[in-house]
Structures are given as C-alpha cells and as structure tokens.
Amino acid sequence: MKKSVLAASLLLLASGAQAENELKVVLGGAFSIDSSDVLDDLEDGSGPGISIEDSGIPLGLDIYAGLGFMEASTFRLGYRKFGQQSGDVEFYGFDAGTIELDTEGLYAAVDLMFPVSDTFFLGGTLGYQDWEAELDYEGARDKEDGNDLFYGLRGKWLLSGENGALTAGLNFYDFGLPGNDLEYTSVAVGLEFFL
C-alpha cells in the first residue's frame, strides 16, 4: 500500500509542478555499470569449498521518455536492463560452471534538478521500479519479480542550444527477495533530447 501511495505521489508531483518554462517532451537513454552483492551472498551461503569469481563488466541500459519541467527537472517512464552479473563457480579449485543474474523491468521516476550554473543542474531521483530477476546456473533457472522504490543523485549539463543534455547518475536499488535482498548500485552516463 505504501508503495502505491508513493508511486501516485510521484505522478502528482510531476503533473502539478509549476514550470518556469513550458513542459517539453524528453527522450533519453544511458549506459550504466551495475554492481550487486548477489555473487558474494551466493558464495557466503554455499557449502565449503565453493568460490565464485566475478567475470565481465555488468553494463546496463536505460531508455526512457517523459516530460521536462522547471528548466531541467523531468518525469520519466522507462525500461531498465541491469548489467548482467556473472561468475565462474569453482568447487575446491575445479571448474563447476557459470552462474548468471539478469534483471530488467519498467519504471517511473521524478528527477528534481536545481541550478548550480546556467548550464549545470544537480538534484535527486526518486523512482518506482517494476523488476524481474532471473538466476541461471548451468540451465537451472530461478525467477523472481516485484516492485520497489529506488533513489539517487543526478547531474545534468545542458548542451549548446539547450535542446539536449548530458546526464550522469548514481542510483541505489534494493529489491525484496526471499532470504536476501538484491541490492544494486548503478553509475550511469547518458543523453537527453528535448522536443
């Protein structure tokens, strides 16, 4: 119930904002590096002799559309594909396969941005993420889904002509799973275009 009330509050905040400029349509996207604690938790919860080593860079993708208001603030609806977490599993030093975690979903978020200079804005993000996570170990799959709030910090540099912006963000996610929660820390860089 609390999550529904907070999600509705996000929508009201975005729709009721008093804009200095006209509302504008925003299209954007970002690449992110998404790190989670899932492999460490799995290793800690496994029996003796099992170790899991991270492999690869967990590169994620975020695409969204929304409305811009108050110079650089935005209300966004988007799709989030978190970077795949993968690890090589060893049992007493012998190869025991690969484990992979894939997480994705739709979200709604509000970025409230405040001017630091004429072209640079700094602010925060509050969002509501609908997610699905799939853990795959050598063909054995386990799926979970849910929806949770996330939050973060956001910076925005307006491009010349003010028809777009370079964005940078740091977001924190905590997804409720049976047993241990799935936590992500995400660092993202992207572009927005104003229509």
Side-chain angles (χ1 to χ4, degrees), residues 11-14 49 51 65 71-72 74 79 104 115 121 135-136 144 160 165 172 187 191:
L11 291 171
L12 289 173
L13 177 61
S51 64
E71 293 186 89
T74 50
Y79 167 76
E104 64 181 348
F121 293 79
L135 190 65
D136 183 326
E144 297 287 345
S160 61
F172 302 95
V187 178
L191 283 172

Side-chain angles (χ1 to χ4, degrees), residues 40-47:
D40 291 336
D41 287 348
L42 288 171
E43 184 177 40
D44 292 344
S46 299

Side-chain angles (χ1 to χ4, degrees), residues 6-83:
L6 286 170
S9 298
L10 289 175
L11 291 171
L12 289 173
L13 177 61
S15 63
Q18 295 296 320
E20 291 179 16
N21 301 320
E22 294 180 4
L23 290 177
K24 52 194 167 222
V25 175
V26 176
L27 298 176
F31 289 107
S32 61
I33 296 178
D34 306 311
S35 62
S36 80
D37 56 355
V38 68
L39 297 181
D40 291 336
D41 287 348
L42 288 171
E43 184 177 40
D44 292 344
S46 299
I50 294 178
S51 64
I52 304 174
E53 292 294 325
D54 283 332
S55 60
I57 296 174
L59 187 63
L61 175 67
D62 178 8
I63 53 174
Y64 57 88
L67 293 175
F69 59 95
M70 292 185 346
E71 293 186 89
S73 295
T74 50
F75 170 71
R76 300 180 281 138
L77 296 173
Y79 167 76
R80 185 79 166 79
K81 170 75 170 145
F82 291 83

Side-chain angles (χ1 to χ4, degrees), residues 2-173:
K2 289 181 183 178
K3 292 179 183 178
S4 299
V5 170
L6 286 170
S9 298
L10 289 175
L11 291 171
L12 289 173
L13 177 61
S15 63
Q18 295 296 320
E20 291 179 16
N21 301 320
E22 294 180 4
L23 290 177
K24 52 194 167 222
V25 175
V26 176
L27 298 176
F31 289 107
S32 61
I33 296 178
D34 306 311
S35 62
S36 80
D37 56 355
V38 68
L39 297 181
D40 291 336
D41 287 348
L42 288 171
E43 184 177 40
D44 292 344
S46 299
I50 294 178
S51 64
I52 304 174
E53 292 294 325
D54 283 332
S55 60
I57 296 174
L59 187 63
L61 175 67
D62 178 8
I63 53 174
Y64 57 88
L67 293 175
F69 59 95
M70 292 185 346
E71 293 186 89
S73 295
T74 50
F75 170 71
R76 300 180 281 138
L77 296 173
Y79 167 76
R80 185 79 166 79
K81 170 75 170 145
F82 291 83
Q84 184 184 73
Q85 304 287 128
S86 62
D88 298 321
V89 181
E90 291 186 355
F91 181 65
Y92 288 107
F94 294 98
D95 182 19
T98 301
I99 193 164
E100 296 175 342
L101 173 70
D102 287 300
T103 307
E104 64 181 348
L106 302 175
Y107 71 88
V110 172
D111 309 307
L112 290 178
M113 309 298 293
F114 302 95
V116 175
S117 70
D118 289 343
T119 58
F120 176 63
F121 293 79
L122 191 61
T125 297
L126 180 62
Y128 190 69
Q129 177 77 50
D130 184 63
W131 56 271
E132 179 180 275
E134 179 178 287
L135 190 65
D136 183 326
Y137 178 58
E138 297 299 308
R141 291 183 174 87
D142 183 23
K143 277 190 178 181
E144 297 287 345
D145 59 33
N147 38 63
D148 291 282
L149 294 172
F150 67 94
Y151 63 93
L153 300 172
R154 191 167 177 90
K156 191 177 290 191
W157 294 266
L158 297 181
L159 302 174
S160 61
E162 298 187 3
N163 57 357
L166 176 66
T167 63
L170 173 65
N171 287 328
F172 302 95
Y173 302 82

